[in-house]
């Protein structure tokens, strides 16, 4: 499992470093997510908002963490009481992150700055333009230096968890088998189909004449197929979908993976059959069904690696929580948020 994705699985919500270096950038880079987030500014609070073994947690850190939490919401903006609750949750995460960080600094990490450089590059790569990255930083009240600091902390904490907690977590075959037997619904592979298509793409802003021309071309190709023309050859020469390079082959897909009209037409075909012209928002399609695979139960041998990974991550979450619970008992924690 990749280093960063592993942290997101078992330490999400525990390290504000992970939230800020990964989640906030993803949110800022995704217009749909950003548009759905309520426009609420966290309340102004005085420094510091907490101290952990004498180390202060600043108001700006709380503001940033609260913004990330608020950005993850959908629908209506939270009330003042809900907003306060978000701030309390964010502060709890900041305290947990600081406890982990203080313990984690005792472990040496080779090539730490190179790892920071790599993570920063990955974050920036999510943006098509430098200006968008700069804007995202501004919206989080951050400069690039701040993000670099958070990223470094994230890596240090991740290293600590992987070196000290992960090795203590074991998942036996018996654990995996028990989960498999108790969750049969999770191991049923749904019906899938394999299909190819020829797409005559039409822009959403196309004129009625342009749409008519595309449909007429699609109908002409459909007649050629009825007359025995080679589907793959026509796809390569006419389809506007990138799948044209593979003769229109889309591989296997299940229900819910394609737009409704396309899915309905594909699933209605028998292997070897070719559909009539199907209209979707992408344009006009001709679909050829290659194969159908009935729903089937995934056997334990195949499912076991994924089960063990899932159970291990669940146990790591619990182990990190247990570690923090013990760490809090001996730590001096002052919560100053009012």
């Amino acid at each position: 499992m990749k280093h960063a994705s592993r942290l997101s699985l078992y330490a999400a919500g525990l390290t504000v470093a992970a939230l800020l270096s990964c989640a906030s950038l993803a949110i800022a880079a995704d217009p749909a997510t950003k548009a759905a987030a309520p426009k609420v500014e966290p309340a102004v609070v005085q420094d510091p908002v907490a101290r952990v073994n004498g180390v202060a947690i600043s108001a700006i850190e709380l503001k940033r963490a609260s913004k990330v939490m608020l950005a993850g919401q959908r629908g209506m903006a939270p009330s003042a009481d809900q907003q306060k609750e978000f701030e309390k949750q964010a502060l709890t995460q900041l305290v947990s992150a600081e406890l982990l960080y203080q313990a984690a600094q005792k472990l040496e990490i080779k090539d730490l700055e190179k790892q920071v450089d790599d993570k920063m590059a990955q974050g920036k790569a999510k943006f098509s333009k430098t200006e968008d990255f700069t804007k995202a930083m501004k919206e989080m009240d951050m400069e690039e230096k701040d993000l670099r600091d958070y990223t470094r902390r994230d890596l240090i904490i991740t290293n600590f968890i992987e070196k000290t907690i992960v090795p203590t977590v074991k998942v036996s075959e018996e654990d995996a088998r028990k989960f498999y037997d108790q969750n049969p619904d999770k191991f049923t592979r749904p019906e899938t189909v394999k299909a190819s298509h020829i797409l005559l793409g039409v822009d959403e802003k196309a004129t009625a004449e342009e749409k008519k021309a595309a449909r007429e071309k699609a109908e002409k190709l459909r007649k050629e197929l009825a007359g025995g023309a080679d589907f793959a050859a026509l796809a390569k020469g006419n389809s506007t979908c990138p799948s044209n390079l593979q003769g229109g082959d889309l591989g296997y897909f299940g229900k819910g993976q394609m737009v409704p009209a396309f899915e309905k037409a594909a699933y209605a075909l028998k292997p070897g059959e070719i559909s009539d012209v199907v209209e979707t928002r992408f344009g006009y399609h001709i679909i050829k069904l290659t194969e159908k695979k009935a729903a089937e139960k995934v056997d334990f041998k195949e499912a076991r690696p994924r089960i063990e990974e899932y159970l291990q991550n669940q146990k790591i979450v619990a182990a990190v929580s247990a570690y923090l619970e013990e760490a809090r008992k001996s730590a001096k924690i002052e919560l100053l948020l009012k």
Side-chain angles (χ1 to χ4, degrees):
M1 191 185 303
K2 292 183 179 178
H3 181 83
S5 62
R6 177 168 230 167
L7 176 65
S8 68
L9 282 169
Y10 60 66
L14 291 175
T15 67
V16 77
L19 288 171
L20 289 173
S21 65
C22 301
S24 66
L25 288 182
I27 291 166
D30 184 349
T33 303
K34 185 176 175 183
K39 302 285 185 179
V40 179
E41 285 288 329
V44 176
V45 293
Q46 300 299 311
D47 275 323
V49 292
R51 289 191 185 90
V52 180
N53 294 323
V55 178
I57 294 175
S58 67
I60 187 62
E61 289 178 84
L62 177 61
K63 184 178 181 182
R64 290 166 181 161
S66 298
K67 275 190 173 184
V68 173
M69 294 190 70
L70 288 167
Q73 301 305 302
R74 297 290 183 272
M76 296 179 65
S79 65
D81 287 343
Q82 289 173 325
Q83 190 174 324
K84 277 193 172 184
E85 186 58 33
F86 280 130
E87 287 183 351
K88 287 181 181 179
Q89 292 175 20
L91 185 56
T92 297
Q93 292 176 1
L94 286 167
V95 170
S96 295
E98 182 59 35
L99 285 168
L100 288 168
Y101 180 66
Q102 289 179 15
Q105 290 181 85
K106 300 171 186 176
L107 298 181
E108 182 182 355
I109 304 179
K110 292 182 179 180
D111 301 321
L112 176 59
E113 292 309 310
K114 182 182 183 303
Q115 291 185 45
V116 174
D117 289 339
D118 292 343
K119 291 281 283 185
M120 290 288 290
Q122 290 170 22
K124 287 182 178 180
K126 295 179 181 179
F127 298 86
S128 57
K129 296 185 293 184
T130 302
E131 293 81 0
D132 293 337
F133 174 79
T134 303
K135 183 180 178 182
M137 290 294 91
K138 186 176 180 181
E139 289 176 355
M140 290 300 299
D141 295 302
M142 293 171 67
E143 295 181 1
E144 190 167 334
K145 181 183 76 67
D146 299 317
L147 181 60
R148 188 176 183 87
D149 290 340
Y150 280 122
T151 302
R152 185 182 297 105
R153 286 171 62 94
D154 181 22
L155 287 166
I156 290 170
I157 292 170
T158 301
N159 179 67
F160 173 75
I161 293 174
E162 290 186 338
K163 293 286 178 60
T164 64
I165 294 178
V166 172
T168 68
V169 173
K170 306 295 180 186
V171 177
S172 67
E173 181 177 354
E174 183 181 353
D175 292 333
R177 171 63 74 174
K178 182 178 180 181
F179 185 87
Y180 178 83
D181 291 340
Q182 292 181 347
N183 297 274
D185 58 309
K186 298 183 186 298
F187 304 103
T188 300
R189 185 178 287 123
E191 179 187 19
T192 57
V193 296
K194 184 179 183 183
S196 298
H197 80 144
I198 298 170
L199 170 64
L200 280 302
V202 178
D203 189 275
E204 291 181 359
K205 296 179 181 178
T207 63
E209 289 76 13
E210 290 171 330
K211 290 181 179 180
K212 181 182 178 183
R215 181 165 195 115
E216 287 177 349
K217 183 176 180 180
E219 296 287 2
K220 178 176 177 294
L221 292 174
R222 179 66 182 84
K223 288 181 180 178
E224 290 182 35
L225 290 167
D230 182 72
F231 192 97
L234 287 186
K236 287 179 180 179
N238 297 276
S239 181
T240 59
C241 176
S243 65
N244 59 12
L245 297 174
Q246 292 81 44
D249 185 12
L250 295 170
Y252 288 95
F253 56 89
K255 289 187 176 180
Q257 292 182 257
M258 299 293 184
V259 291
F262 187 99
E263 177 187 293
K264 182 178 179 181
Y267 270 83
L269 297 171
K270 295 177 182 178
E273 286 185 339
I274 297 173
S275 72
D276 291 330
V277 174
V278 178
E279 182 179 359
T280 73
R281 60 189 175 88
F282 300 108
Y284 300 97
H285 309 256
I286 305 169
I287 306 167
K288 179 179 180 179
L289 191 73
T290 308
E291 188 179 347
K292 276 188 177 181
K293 282 188 177 180
E296 59 181 346
K297 184 176 177 62
V298 179
D299 64 35
F300 176 70
K301 184 178 179 181
E302 182 182 345
R304 182 178 171 182
R306 290 186 294 116
I307 295 172
E308 290 179 345
E309 181 180 327
Y310 172 78
L311 293 178
Q312 183 186 42
N313 288 318
Q314 293 293 101
K315 288 188 175 186
I316 292 171
V317 170
V320 171
S321 297
Y323 171 86
L324 286 168
E325 187 177 346
E326 285 301 310
R328 286 173 181 272
K329 291 178 182 177
S330 58
K332 183 179 180 182
I333 299 173
E334 303 170 78
L335 301 179
L336 308 173
L337 181 65
K338 296 180 180 179

